[in-house]
Amino acid sequence: VCSSDLLCEVVFCAAAPNAVQIKSIAPYAATRFNVIRKFTRVAIIGAKYRLAQGGAFCRLMPGHARAKFPTMPPLKIASTVALADSQRNLIRAAVPGAEIVDRPCRTPEAALELVSGGCEVLLTFIVPNDLENRAPHLKWIQLLSAGAEHAIGALKSDRIEMTTGSGIPATAISEYTIASMLAYAHRFHLMIRSQLKHEWMRTGAFRGNISELSGKTIGIIGYGSIGRETARLARVLGMR
């Protein structure tokens, strides 16, 4: 008998050849599967179902007790954003047989309605306050945002794992930041307004308002993945 908290370690033990006795499972798992211990829960999602389907056995310490994995229902993954076919295929490749439910949700009420049908994994921007009660089987929340301050207060217990999208939007947002700086320095906003009004700006007056980013100093508040990538691009433009 094992608790749900030990599921990831028991699965790794089941993957050991010939049900080898392992006193410390985590180091063996890290070596065999080449994963960092803190990411074990993420890495094992697909493996636990393959092992369960194969009727894998494991030998647990102490007492050499032998346990068999029961048949498990398909993992249900809910997403509050619409997924593309390519994204669905990636999920199914990682978790064969997973049930995927996705629906654009713009309000906490819409998100609660989506998860009320039950799910183990939630992909979302929104974390409603009553989420734990409405989704009692929820085990993992993958935020699409880099920050989690808006979501932490909604969870009252530690039974749900929560990970963020930190680092994923770094390139897109840093490029947008630099593009906005270039657009303002070269007065694109004035050109667009004049174009819409069918007005011709005199060349001399217009050029007098244009400035260059090269040689200027950029101030970055918050030196995370977005801030570092913005600094790298700014340096290429000759900024300090």
Side-chain angles (χ1 to χ4, degrees):
V1 179
C2 63
S3 69
S4 59
D5 292 336
L6 294 176
L7 179 59
C8 58
E9 294 189 350
V10 173
V11 171
F12 275 128
C13 186
N18 302 320
V20 176
Q21 300 173 26
I22 305 172
K23 294 183 179 179
S24 180
I25 298 173
Y28 177 86
T31 302
R32 181 171 172 79
F33 292 90
N34 193 27
V35 295
I36 301 174
R37 181 69 186 92
K38 68 178 180 178
F39 295 133
T40 297
R41 292 183 182 273
V42 177
I44 201 59
I45 288 178
K48 72 177 181 181
Y49 285 93
R50 293 192 185 96
L51 290 167
Q53 292 169 358
F57 285 87
C58 65
R59 185 171 293 174
L60 306 178
M61 298 294 289
H64 301 175
R66 176 169 289 191
K68 183 177 181 180
F69 281 89
T71 301
M72 293 182 174
L75 184 70
K76 187 171 183 180
I77 302 172
S79 173
T80 61
V81 296
L83 299 174
D85 289 339
S86 59
Q87 294 169 327
R88 288 171 171 270
N89 292 336
L90 285 173
I91 295 174
R92 290 195 175 103
V95 193
E99 179 184 353
I100 304 172
V101 180
D102 63 314
R103 184 192 312 162
C105 300
R106 299 185 180 277
T107 64
E109 292 75 19
L112 286 175
E113 182 182 353
L114 176 65
V115 303
S116 61
C119 65
E120 287 78 36
V121 181
L122 178 63
L123 177 67
T124 185
F125 281 109
I126 305 170
V127 181
N129 289 328
D130 198 32
L131 181 62
E132 289 182 283
N133 294 328
R134 298 289 290 273
H137 301 296
L138 184 62
K139 295 293 188 295
W140 176 23
I141 297 175
Q142 172 60 58
L143 293 176
L144 295 171
S145 57
E149 60 277 358
H150 66 288
I152 293 176
L155 301 180
K156 309 304 181 187
S157 67
D158 58 356
R159 71 174 178 84
I160 300 176
E161 300 277 355
M162 184 164 63
T163 52
T164 71
S166 178
I168 296 175
T171 299
I173 296 180
S174 60
E175 287 184 357
Y176 170 79
T177 301
I178 295 296
S180 298
M181 294 168 61
L182 284 169
Y184 185 78
H186 289 265
R187 300 298 187 261
F188 279 18
H189 57 293
L190 297 181
M191 287 191 287
I192 292 173
R193 291 173 189 169
S194 296
Q195 186 182 46
L196 293 174
K197 295 178 181 179
H198 301 283
E199 295 178 350
W200 179 258
M201 297 180 66
R202 292 185 177 275
T203 304
F206 176 71
R207 288 184 175 177
N209 289 324
I210 294 177
S211 59
E212 298 176 345
L213 295 184
S214 179
K216 289 185 169 56
T217 301
I218 181 173
I220 300 175
I221 302 175
Y223 205 58
S225 58
I226 296 174
R228 292 192 298 271
E229 180 62 13
T230 301
R232 187 188 70 82
L233 294 176
R235 192 175 293 112
V236 172
L237 295 174
M239 300 188 73
R240 297 190 296 269

